[in-house]
Amino acid sequence: MAARSRMFWGPLTAVGLGTAAIACVFDQASKLWLLKAFDLAGKGAVKLAPFVDLGLTWNTGISYGWFQQEGPFGQGALLALKAVAIALLWIWLARASSRLSAVALG
């Protein structure tokens, strides 16, 4: 039983979970601020620099719009893929013995 619990919880798991939670909170807070307080939807494209504009888009896929899914089957398959990725990263983090080996997760 102890070996099984070590597979899912290691010396850096708490740090990894805390870091992931903080990143998730900041990500969602910044999106909420852009939508509600800044009103990005009402302003349209906002020029930040001569080569960078900030615009509102909705991504129904994963990074860079890959695997766009509109229907329930595709969304479920994408959710399953995400769950598998999270489980594998969790196990990798639990087995990491130093911060240097955990940095490779990023």
Side-chain angles (χ1 to χ4, degrees):
M1 185 71 172
R4 181 172 268 181
S5 67
R6 268 185 279 167
M7 181 176 165
F8 297 109
W9 197 268
L12 298 173
T13 305
V15 173
L17 289 175
T19 303
I22 290 169
C24 186
V25 167
F26 278 122
D27 175 62
Q28 293 302 307
S30 66
K31 290 174 182 175
L32 186 62
W33 181 81
L34 283 168
L35 282 174
K36 302 296 181 183
F38 188 72
D39 189 30
L40 186 59
K43 291 183 180 183
V46 177
K47 191 173 216 52
L48 298 179
F51 52 88
V52 177
D53 291 341
L54 187 62
L56 179 63
T57 61
W58 298 101
N59 185 2
T60 59
I62 59 175
S63 296
Y64 307 110
W66 289 5
F67 308 117
Q68 294 285 328
Q69 302 298 326
E70 297 293 334
F73 176 76
Q75 290 173 350
L78 193 54
L79 181 63
L81 179 66
K82 291 175 188 179
V84 168
I86 289 169
L88 292 174
L89 288 172
W90 180 302
I91 292 170
W92 185 6
L93 180 62
R95 292 181 177 186
S97 57
S98 71
R99 287 187 180 182
L100 185 59
S101 61
V103 167
L105 292 173

